[in-house]
Amino acid sequence: KIIDKMIESLKKEFDLNVEGTVEAFLGVEVLEHKDGVLARQSGLTKRIIAAVGMEKANSCKTPASTIGLGADIGGAPKKESSSYSSVMGMLLYLTGNTWPDIAFAVHQCARFSHRPMKVHEDAVKRIVRYLVGTVDKGLVFRPQDEIVLEAFADADFAGLWNVEDAQDPTCVKSRTGYLIRLGKVPVVWKSKLQTLIAVSTMEAEYVSLSMCMRELIPLRRVLKELQGVLKFKSSVSSTACTLFEDNQGAVTLANVPKMTPRSKHIAIPYHFFREHVKKKEVEVKYIKTDDQLADLLTKGLVE
């Protein structure tokens, strides 16, 4: 009904043609589902599987090993004839639209597109095996009485230690992972190495929290403006949206506007969101690690 009202309002100002229900958009299929609407990319998924030549491969339960992926300098060279960079390009488009659960695995493989080794090739094959068993899956958008905006931020402190060369600064970099949900559906997610070297778990988690805020705060602003126009029910106009973090130190630092000896070295840009916390536009809460949804964006999980 909200969409119908918006269309009628736009027709008064513009010459508008309504072409019916959307079925696909930029390679994303939009299908009816028993619980709502399903968005998936089965066509691209099948293309990836075929490009690697694994149509008859057995599936696996997780897309990445629990052991981090390093450069493997001096290791066995790549064997397959398929284009590593081409497959990575397709995987990056897939994970950027409908597959947040492979974001970590794809990103750590994409780091080595310039010089892939056999270990990286094997890691890509594991991702493809995971896709073989989930080719028809996607994001399900379920009807909600109230649209709630919430986020989850996590970090893996120095996750490449003992994986990369000890002389390479990358081995002590931490990984940021965050996921933003709107109406219980992931709409924004990210998995990437942090640019700075965090010196504690708390700092790595705080940096991840700050990076998530850069996406969450503008999204809240847009949602609030849309609510004013479309008049749908959402908590963003009356209460703060919530960001869940599983590190008590990072939660305390985000909510208490003062520096401590353990946090005064953290770069100033990472503190920008405190004003929004003070205005009660955003709330940072602790969540148990077992309930942390962003955990799958920072490391390979146990099957």
Side-chain angles (χ1 to χ4, degrees), residues 197-216:
I197 296 176
V199 298
S200 68
T201 301
M202 185 273 285
E203 182 180 352
E205 297 277 357
Y206 188 78
V207 169
S208 180
L209 186 155
S210 178
M211 296 300 293
C212 181
M213 287 289 191
R214 295 185 188 185
E215 300 269 14
L216 181 63

Side-chain angles (χ1 to χ4, degrees), residues 34-242:
K34 62 178 182 179
D35 296 323
V37 176
L38 172 67
R40 70 181 187 188
Q41 291 171 277
S42 61
L44 179 59
T45 304
K46 292 174 182 176
R47 280 177 55 199
I48 294 171
I49 295 170
V52 185
M54 297 181 65
E55 296 93 331
K56 297 181 180 180
N58 294 324
S59 62
C60 62
K61 294 182 179 180
T62 59
S65 168
T66 55
I67 302 173
L69 190 64
D72 195 32
I73 297 174
K78 174 178 174 290
K79 288 185 177 181
E80 300 293 337
S81 59
S82 58
S83 172
Y84 187 92
S85 58
S86 175
V87 172
M88 287 313 309
M90 290 189 285
L91 283 170
L92 285 168
Y93 188 73
L94 184 67
T95 188
N97 288 287
T98 57
W99 285 81
D101 47 341
I102 64 171
F104 164 74
V106 171
H107 183 268
Q108 69 170 357
C109 289
R111 290 181 57 223
F112 308 103
S113 294
H114 64 291
R115 188 175 177 272
M117 306 295 284
K118 186 178 183 300
V119 66
H120 309 129
E121 192 174 61
D122 291 342
V124 170
K125 287 181 178 180
R126 176 163 182 153
I127 298 173
V128 174
R129 286 174 57 209
Y130 177 76
L131 295 178
V132 167
T134 53
V135 66
D136 293 323
K137 304 295 183 182
L139 297 177
V140 178
F141 294 81
R142 296 175 173 85
Q144 302 287 328
D145 293 331
E146 182 178 22
I147 298 177
V148 177
L149 182 65
E150 58 187 358
F152 301 80
D154 195 20
D156 182 28
F157 176 62
L160 292 176
W161 182 252
N162 285 334
V163 175
E164 293 281 16
D165 183 353
Q167 301 301 316
D168 186 349
T170 304
C171 75
V172 290
K173 285 187 175 181
S174 302
R175 178 172 290 273
T176 285
Y178 60 80
L179 180 146
I180 300 175
R181 296 198 307 182
L182 182 62
K184 301 296 183 180
V185 180
V187 291
V188 178
W189 53 86
K190 179 75 73 175
S191 176
K192 64 174 293 185
L193 288 178
Q194 296 177 359
T195 55
L196 84 171
I197 296 176
V199 298
S200 68
T201 301
M202 185 273 285
E203 182 180 352
E205 297 277 357
Y206 188 78
V207 169
S208 180
L209 186 155
S210 178
M211 296 300 293
C212 181
M213 287 289 191
R214 295 185 188 185
E215 300 269 14
L216 181 63
I217 292 170
L219 189 57
R220 179 185 185 274
R221 188 181 302 122
V222 170
L223 187 61
K224 191 173 181 180
E225 291 177 0
L226 287 174
Q227 185 185 13
V229 176
L230 302 179
K231 309 300 181 183
F232 56 83
K233 190 175 181 180
S234 175
S235 61
V236 294
S237 61
S238 57
T239 60
C241 54
T242 306

Side-chain angles (χ1 to χ4, degrees), residues 2 15 57 93 141 157 173 189 203 247 252 260 296 299-300:
I2 294 172
D15 184 13
Y93 188 73
F141 294 81
F157 176 62
K173 285 187 175 181
W189 53 86
E203 182 180 352
N247 182 276
T252 300
T260 68
L296 62 83
K299 61 181 74 69

